[in-house]
Amino acid sequence: MISVRNISKKYPVGKGELTAVNQLSFDVAPGELFGIIGPDGAGKTSLFRMLATLLLPDGGEALIGGCHVVKDYKQLRKKLGYMPGRFSLYQDLTVEENLRFFATIFHTSIDENYGLIRDIYEQIKPFKDRRAGKLSGGMKQKLALCCALIHRPTVLLLDEPTTGVDAVSRVEFWQMLQGLKSGGITIIVSTPYMDEASLCDRIALMQQGNFLTTGTPDGIKAAFAKPLLAVKADRMHQLVNAVREAPVVEDSYAFGEWAHAVMREEGHDRELESFLSAKGFRQVVVQQTEPTVEDCFLKLMRP
């Protein structure tokens, strides 16, 4: 369905240039939900804009449903639903007016494709006469998704659709994506939230224009080869640096209320606990923990 080969994008910066997307290659199967996970500045939006035919690549090529993103852009736009990270609908139009406008652009109507958006639109229908700019963040995202779907695309490109919305709206949005996927739509979604990675069929971890790795969330976590410990003590603000000093520790970083310690070898839990106690830490807790996608991302970022 989607085939990307060596696609790249550079921007002029002063007398030099910044490589936003560095010769990426990947494939997405029909009906797959493919996630691109990475922080701000990783290059996700530049990649999405190239796939959405809004930005010309500097090198490489991409085919979506057999259409070339540059040579066949007019034909491809009929197959694509694109939702940019920034809310881009008409704020002065009402919910219903926005939806009718986008339907008209694609020479269709709300009634003709209502079955596809029904479950989503019913949640915002009570506010159909409200201006889009007055909607909450979650409602804006639902409206934007309806507008991206109104012409019945076969591929959805969603650039950070859950950024800036509340936790409940994030859960609801991913439930909607799973419903669309079950209907056969191919979805590429980007997000800075590592916890959303497990909701995708496959993911790519992206940093500084490169994919650090690709695979299933479980497969990526299984490739974390080192023992991992979760550590807690009374002086948490000093704990990470102290853990790093332990000879049995390869790396350490803050992880929520804990510090995670990547160990050099198995079986040194007590040794780490004794090391920290000797450093003056109290109420030391050291326990084994399973790696998350975020642990894998941080490990891959290290030189």
Side-chain angles (χ1 to χ4, degrees):
M1 168 59 75
I2 299 173
S3 177
V4 179
R5 292 292 176 268
N6 299 317
I7 200 166
S8 62
K9 185 64 187 178
K10 299 179 180 179
Y11 299 105
V13 177
K15 295 182 179 180
E17 58 185 14
L18 170 69
T19 300
V21 179
N22 188 24
Q23 297 185 349
L24 293 183
S25 296
F26 62 97
D27 296 299
V28 181
E32 187 175 26
L33 202 170
F34 185 80
I36 299 177
I37 319 295
D40 292 344
K44 303 187 301 295
T45 295
S46 292
L47 175 59
F48 270 70
R49 287 178 62 82
M50 287 189 286
L51 295 180
T53 76
L54 300 175
L55 187 65
L56 288 173
D58 291 322
E61 63 177 13
L63 297 174
I64 300 179
C67 295
H68 194 283
V69 295
V70 176
K71 299 174 184 176
D72 307 315
Y73 74 94
K74 288 185 179 180
Q75 182 182 353
L76 179 55
R77 286 177 180 176
K78 299 175 184 178
K79 301 180 179 182
L80 287 179
Y82 173 55
M83 187 172 158
R86 183 178 180 180
F87 185 68
S88 58
L89 303 184
Y90 293 96
Q91 309 237 17
D92 290 336
L93 295 182
T94 66
V95 167
E96 188 172 26
E97 287 170 343
N98 265 289
L99 196 54
R100 292 194 183 282
F101 173 77
F102 281 92
T104 301
I105 287 177
F106 287 100
H107 307 290
T108 185
S109 66
I110 297 176
D111 293 337
E112 186 175 347
N113 294 318
Y114 192 70
L116 183 61
I117 66 168
R118 179 187 292 110
D119 292 343
I120 306 169
Y121 186 67
E122 288 295 324
Q123 299 178 47
I124 57 175
K125 191 174 182 179
F127 311 99
K128 66 177 184 174
D129 295 323
R130 182 176 296 183
R131 290 186 178 184
K134 299 297 184 181
L135 296 174
S136 67
M139 291 296 182
K140 284 180 177 178
Q141 299 303 73
K142 291 171 185 175
L143 174 58
L145 184 57
C146 284
C147 290
L149 288 167
I150 195 59
H151 61 294
R152 197 170 286 274
T154 56
V155 175
L156 266 182
L157 303 175
L158 308 176
D159 188 8
E160 297 194 1
T162 56
T163 298
V165 300
D166 61 88
V168 173
S169 295
R170 281 175 61 192
V171 172
E172 290 177 347
F173 196 90
W174 277 95
Q175 289 172 343
M176 290 186 288
L177 294 190
Q178 294 295 338
L180 294 171
K181 174 183 173 295
S182 65
I185 295 179
T186 303
I187 303 171
I188 302 183
V189 58
S190 71
T191 176
Y193 300 125
M194 299 290 170
D195 61 311
E196 294 183 344
S198 62
L199 303 173
C200 302
D201 297 323
R202 284 191 308 127
I203 59 173
L205 302 183
M206 189 174 187
Q207 172 71 352
Q208 295 182 341
N210 296 288
F211 282 175
L212 303 178
T213 188
T214 60
T216 64
D218 287 343
I220 288 174
K221 288 184 285 187
F224 194 97
K226 296 286 186 175
L228 186 67
L229 300 180
V231 187
K232 186 183 287 189
D234 59 339
R235 291 178 282 130
M236 288 300 297
H237 60 288
Q238 300 174 0
L239 183 63
V240 171
N241 287 334
V243 171
R244 284 182 184 147
E245 295 174 2
V248 295
V249 172
E250 183 177 290
D251 192 15
S252 181
Y253 42 85
F255 198 93
E257 298 179 351
W258 298 78
H260 275 193
V262 182
M263 308 300 287
R264 299 185 187 278
E265 298 175 346
E266 291 274 7
H268 292 287
D269 309 30
R270 292 288 181 86
E271 191 172 340
L272 177 59
E273 186 175 345
S274 298
F275 177 86
L276 292 173
S277 296
K279 287 277 188 179
F281 288 90
R282 299 293 178 263
Q283 302 172 351
V284 178
V285 177
V286 177
Q287 62 187 38
Q288 294 184 358
T289 189
E290 293 296 320
T292 66
V293 170
E294 186 171 352
D295 289 302
C296 298
F297 186 88
L298 291 171
K299 189 172 189 301
L300 290 166
M301 281 181 59
R302 298 292 196 265

